[in-house]
Amino acid sequence: MEFTSPEGERRYAALVRAADRAVVGLDFDGTLSPIVDDPTQAHIHPDAPEVLVDLAEVVAAVAVVTGRPARQALDLGGLEEVGNAIGDAGKELYLFGQYGNERWSSTRRRIVSPRPPHGLATFLRDLPRALRGAGAADAWVEHKGLAHAVHTRRLPDPEGAFERLLPVLRDLAGRNGLVLEPGRNVIEVRAPGMDKGKAVDALVAEVGAGAFLFAGDDLGDLEAFDAVAALGKDGLPTLLVCSASDEVSALVERADVVVHGPEGVLELLRRLAADARAAR
């Protein structure tokens, strides 16, 4: 765990003092779950359920905000069981799937999801030709219901294929009224109108948050970082945490704290829970 500046240390201390009013928002892949070649096997870190349940006792709410479909995140994270345990402590676990388009909570216990956007079917129809044109015909396409993700991680030259595909898929997405979200050797195309920043704002309104921590690792978390930074400017104690890797560093310069992967995130959350209890 490394504070990026003395201001980061001050922000952590302020968050500790406001922990009982804080929402802790967490990305899934690369933050709670290690990045793996097959995203369907990206199970939550084995220590995470215990850490999240312990943390929930000292904060206002815990939320997972992910680009994954909500059902997939629930299953890979064992989050329904985590939600049960958090509920026993009188708190709530929130899950925002597909960048906030899908919602689940440990009290409502059902996934609320909109219809797939217009244009997604046309995008999928034209995608194979686009992949062939970019020399990435063998890229794996993950169908998420409200989005499609093109993974280059398994290709012989993942970074080169990513760079060739990015402008091609951006153009195809734009022609179909969709938005493009680049990530770690993955390009996701989805409906407009929702992002992780809007999910942060929704959480603040629903919970009545008096402080906010967000931890993420990738470009898809930038909107959440922006939303939390805006809360800080409005006077709320905030903390931005980058789960750093050798692949992506875009969030490092924006973060108050930099940790190494899911293990570092969990170490930080353990410390936060312990410090909050000591400050009572």
Side-chain angles (χ1 to χ4, degrees):
M1 171 174 165
E2 178 183 347
F3 291 104
T4 57
S5 69
E7 179 62 24
E9 295 187 61
R10 288 191 288 270
R11 288 177 179 171
Y12 175 80
L15 188 82
V16 167
R17 293 192 295 271
D20 61 339
R21 297 179 285 118
V23 173
V24 175
L26 304 161
D27 175 41
F28 190 89
D29 291 276
T31 302
L32 288 176
S33 166
I35 296 293
V36 295
D37 288 342
D38 182 355
T40 65
Q41 299 301 312
H43 295 282
I44 199 169
H45 190 285
D47 293 343
E50 180 182 355
V51 172
L52 295 181
V53 172
D54 182 59
L55 177 68
E57 294 181 358
V58 299
V59 299
V62 176
V64 176
V65 185
T66 176
R68 283 185 178 273
R71 171 46 57 190
Q72 193 179 67
L74 286 169
D75 292 343
L76 289 172
L79 296 179
E80 287 175 299
E81 292 79 8
V82 174
N84 288 338
I86 288 176
D88 290 341
K91 301 296 178 65
E92 188 157 12
L93 174 68
Y94 294 86
L95 171 65
F96 286 73
Q98 302 214 38
Y99 295 89
N101 279 304
E102 295 183 326
R103 297 194 54 182
W104 175 94
S105 72
S106 55
T107 55
R108 296 174 186 169
R109 306 198 68 78
R110 70 183 184 92
I111 297 170
V112 178
S113 178
R115 293 180 179 274
H118 294 294
L120 202 57
T122 306
F123 174 87
L124 186 61
R125 182 198 68 194
D126 295 338
L127 181 58
R129 182 171 57 189
L131 295 179
R132 289 194 299 271
D138 294 331
W140 177 49
V141 180
E142 181 184 7
H143 304 293
K144 297 186 173 185
L146 299 176
H148 299 303
V150 179
H151 296 264
T152 65
R153 185 174 295 276
R154 301 178 185 177
L155 297 178
D157 178 16
E159 291 79 13
F162 178 92
E163 294 300 327
R164 293 194 304 273
L165 277 171
L166 194 58
V168 173
L169 297 188
R170 181 176 284 115
D171 176 68
L172 184 57
R175 285 191 273 120
N176 287 285
L178 305 170
V179 298
L180 181 143
E181 193 80 61
R184 297 166 69 172
N185 290 321
V186 60
I187 302 168
E188 185 162 322
V189 174
R190 57 182 174 84
M194 178 56 73
D195 56 48
K196 292 187 179 185
K198 292 183 175 66
V200 167
D201 292 339
L203 278 164
V204 171
E206 288 191 28
V207 178
F212 210 106
L213 178 154
F214 191 87
D217 77 308
D218 207 346
L219 297 174
D221 298 309
L222 281 172
E223 289 88 352
F225 269 44
D226 289 341
V228 173
L231 294 173
K233 290 180 181 178
D234 288 339
L236 268 68
T238 61
L239 194 73
L240 292 171
V241 181
C242 173
S243 176
S245 73
D246 295 332
E247 293 181 343
V248 176
S249 59
L251 300 184
V252 171
E253 63 185 31
R254 300 286 308 278
D256 301 307
V257 183
V258 177
V259 300
H260 187 71
E263 289 189 0
V265 172
L266 296 177
E267 179 185 352
L268 170 63
L269 298 181
R270 288 189 190 97
R271 175 174 169 179
L272 174 61
D275 289 347
R277 288 189 175 94
R280 286 176 175 172

